[in-house]
Amino acid sequence: MDLSSKLKYLGVKTVYSYIDHDPQKNLPKILDWLENHDEKNAVTTPVRAVRAAVTDPDNNWSQLLYSLWSDVNHKQRKLLFNNGIINGTLLGSPVRKEFEEKYECSIPWAILMDPTSSCNLHCTGCWAAEYGDKMNLTFEEMDDIIRQGKEHGTYVYIYSGGEPLVRKKDLIRLCEKHDDCAFLAFTNGTLIDEEFADEMVRVGNFVPAISVEGFEESTDSRRGQGTYHKVISVMERLKAKKLLFGISCCCTNTNTEVIISDEFFDAMVDMGAKFMWLFTYMPIGADAVPELLVTAEQREYTFRQVRKFRSEKAIFTMDFWNDGEYVNGCIAGGRCYMHINANGDIEPCAFIHYSDSNIKDKSLIEAYQSPLFQAYRKNQPFNSNLLRPCPVLDNPGRLTEMVEGSNAYSTDMASPEKAVDYCDKCVHAAERWAPVADRLWDERQEIRTGKDN
């Protein structure tokens, strides 16, 4: 760490400690200081907007922010701030930029990996359950991935699967060994027992995103009878121990209206969830169920409701397919994140089961320089309309070009398929979404232009 980075690190830690002592009193003081010293008027407008929110007890963002002090234990809050914000963003960003320039490739902010293909559930339409217990990353392989990643400035690691908590002892060991990193797991939640919750309290740098498909009927219909009540019990356990957690929802054409409803959002806030990941079902593999794809009308409904809820609900919501306007389109291929499956195949995205690299044969840097990842880097964004970000769901054919051009192989061990066949299953959805997305994009352009004026 150079002197400039050390000064930034110490400065941000000092500010955090000051706010942490009494957030409701000291955060407005920090904002006042920023505005009073903003000689070039660079931050005054957003600072005033933040101040208006955090000083209004009825504002949903104020309620969410201060709940991080009332509802989350001190150790976890501090570690996640240090590891995710300071290490992952403040200190990690210049390191990633340096490596990107040196090797002419994308370096991800976060790495998503699958500790195992095994899962204790068998959810309808999920590829993971088809793999069974065929693949696992060893502890040493996961440890080395994190070691390499930190060298490149990546301090955020996310687990998926399979069910990652099948390997929960190894995940805790990784939290201990890499206590400068932030870890998140997409999990069905059913394996979070009392003992593991206590381990989460002890290490402090592990956060679960628990999968739910709506209320009891829609969750159990896809995940199995009794799953919803198990999940609710886990949420109650985490809330009682003041552990940060969120939820992960996969929208299909059978549950979108339930998930994207006031009742469901309010219920999850009441349960203690602080964030929500929204995904849409993708027809991965030869045995997929394309009929579960959301309709264009459901996607627009989600788009509008989420933006409405962001000014009403005390929960931070990320919509993986509809938030392209905020992140300049597709974030995969190492641009913001990438995926390593339980066989070690290095994939651009968790929903793109094609690869030309494996951790057993290549370093992370070599994988970032591979033809497939370079194709992603060259082609992003895949559409000038950032509400059509995906090279599969929104722009069929773009993935086919990249996979065939890089001689990438299918990594789907259950039901391999050609990229063209995968893309073809999304053509109808893409055609229906395109005019809707164009209309919404024009609306957003008008809103942005109005704000600029």
Side-chain angles (χ1 to χ4, degrees):
M1 189 186 301
D2 58 27
L3 179 60
S4 175
S5 295
K6 286 182 179 178
L7 292 175
K8 288 180 182 178
Y9 177 75
L10 292 172
V12 174
K13 286 195 74 175
T14 299
V15 170
Y16 173 79
S17 296
Y18 178 69
I19 295 173
D20 194 43
H21 181 69
D22 189 341
Q24 290 184 312
K25 177 181 178 181
N26 293 337
L27 178 56
K29 288 183 179 180
I30 293 294
L31 296 171
D32 290 342
W33 184 89
L34 286 172
E35 182 176 349
N36 292 336
H37 291 80
D38 186 21
E39 297 179 358
K40 296 183 180 181
N41 199 34
V43 298
T44 292
T45 298
V47 162
R48 287 177 177 173
V50 172
R51 186 196 295 110
V54 301
T55 56
D56 177 5
D58 295 324
N59 184 278
N60 62 303
W61 290 106
S62 173
Q63 294 167 356
L64 175 60
L65 176 65
Y66 292 128
S67 75
L68 299 180
W69 274 267
S70 62
D71 299 349
V72 179
N73 76 71
H74 173 77
K75 179 180 180 179
Q76 187 182 46
R77 184 175 62 248
K78 183 178 180 180
L79 268 178
L80 292 174
F81 179 85
N82 286 344
N83 299 352
I85 296 179
I86 294 181
N87 295 345
T89 302
L90 183 65
L91 301 181
S93 292
V95 176
R96 293 194 299 274
K97 184 177 180 181
E98 179 183 343
F99 275 94
E100 286 181 338
E101 293 174 351
K102 180 178 180 179
Y103 292 101
E104 298 183 340
C105 64
S106 297
I107 305 291
W109 178 77
I111 291 176
L112 174 68
M113 57 179 160
D114 301 345
T116 180
S117 62
S118 179
C119 185
N120 60 321
L121 299 182
H122 196 291
C123 304
T124 303
C126 176
W127 69 85
E130 303 297 332
Y131 290 179
D133 193 15
K134 297 176 183 177
M135 300 186 294
N136 292 280
L137 293 176
T138 67
F139 175 86
E140 291 73 22
E141 287 169 337
M142 292 188 285
D143 178 46
D144 189 56
I145 289 167
I146 298 169
R147 179 194 61 77
Q148 290 185 63
K150 290 196 294 185
E151 290 179 0
H152 312 144
T154 302
Y155 286 85
V156 178
Y157 295 87
I158 306 172
Y159 300 116
S160 58
E163 169 49 52
L165 295 191
V166 169
R167 301 281 302 283
K168 56 186 174 183
K169 290 185 178 180
D170 282 337
L171 301 192
I172 290 296
R173 287 177 63 197
L174 291 169
C175 288
E176 293 172 327
K177 185 168 184 179
H178 300 281
D179 59 358
D180 54 351
C181 293
F183 296 92
L184 181 142
F186 291 112
T187 170
N188 61 49
T190 60
L191 299 179
I192 301 178
D193 53 18
E194 196 76 17
E195 180 183 358
F196 185 71
D198 287 339
E199 286 290 86
M200 289 172 58
V201 172
R202 182 176 65 82
V203 296
N205 57 343
F206 183 91
V207 177
I210 301 172
S211 298
V212 285
E213 308 296 331
F215 292 112
E216 181 176 4
E217 180 180 357
S218 52
T219 296
D220 286 3
S221 66
R222 184 160 187 245
R223 296 186 172 269
Q225 192 68 30
T227 302
Y228 181 76
H229 283 298
K230 290 180 182 177
V231 166
I232 294 302
S233 295
V234 167
M235 291 183 185
E236 291 172 346
R237 176 176 294 127
L238 296 174
K239 185 177 182 179
K241 293 181 182 293
K242 291 198 167 186
L243 284 164
L244 178 68
F245 72 92
I247 62 170
S248 171
C249 302
C250 178
C251 291
T252 71
N253 65 10
T254 65
N255 69 358
T256 294
E257 286 78 10
V258 174
I259 291 174
I260 313 301
S261 67
D262 283 280
E263 293 78 11
F264 182 70
F265 269 67
D266 291 342
M268 293 301 102
V269 171
D270 289 343
M271 289 305 304
K274 301 302 179 188
F275 62 89
M276 178 187 294
W277 283 92
L278 290 174
F279 299 97
T280 187
Y281 173 75
M282 294 291 286
I284 298 171
D287 296 330
V289 187
E291 292 77 18
L292 287 174
L293 279 165
V294 298
T295 66
E297 292 77 14
Q298 288 173 321
R299 191 166 170 181
E300 179 178 5
Y301 173 72
T302 300
F303 176 91
R304 295 191 182 280
Q305 284 291 89
V306 167
R307 280 154 180 75
K308 175 175 176 284
F309 289 166
R310 282 176 178 153
S311 64
E312 299 175 350
K313 313 296 185 185
I315 189 169
F316 183 72
T317 307
M318 295 154 283
D319 188 344
F320 197 75
W321 265 268
N322 291 334
D323 279 346
E325 64 177 313
Y326 305 122
V327 291
N328 197 35
C330 171
I331 63 172
R335 188 175 152 255
C336 293
Y337 100 109
M338 59 87 165
H339 179 239
I340 303 173
N341 71 14
N343 192 47
D345 298 304
I346 303 170
E347 304 168 339
C349 175
F351 301 96
I352 305 296
H353 290 196
Y354 302 91
S355 176
D356 59 359
S357 305
N358 189 287
I359 59 168
K360 300 176 180 67
D361 307 316
K362 293 183 180 180
S363 68
L364 291 182
I365 283 291
E366 289 173 329
Y368 301 153
Q369 293 177 299
S370 72
L372 181 57
F373 274 63
Q374 288 296 314
Y376 260 77
R377 190 168 189 251
K378 177 182 177 181
N379 283 280
Q380 289 166 320
F382 295 105
N383 198 302
S384 58
N385 181 341
L386 300 180
L387 300 181
R388 298 169 62 189
C390 182
V392 181
L393 185 62
D394 303 317
N395 304 279
R398 300 300 300 275
L399 177 68
T400 304
E401 294 170 3
M402 294 188 293
V403 168
E404 293 180 352
S406 61
N407 292 317
Y409 52 87
S410 172
T411 59
D412 195 310
M413 298 300 172
S415 49
E417 63 181 345
K418 294 180 179 179
V420 64
D421 295 330
Y422 179 29
C423 289
D424 282 351
K425 287 183 285 188
C426 298
V427 169
H428 178 69
E431 291 175 344
R432 295 292 302 273
W433 174 244
V436 177
D438 290 345
R439 170 169 49 79
L440 292 174
W441 185 245
D442 289 341
E443 288 181 15
R444 300 300 290 178
Q445 292 284 65
E446 291 176 6
I447 292 173
R448 282 189 289 272
T449 301
K451 287 182 178 178
D452 292 341
N453 294 334

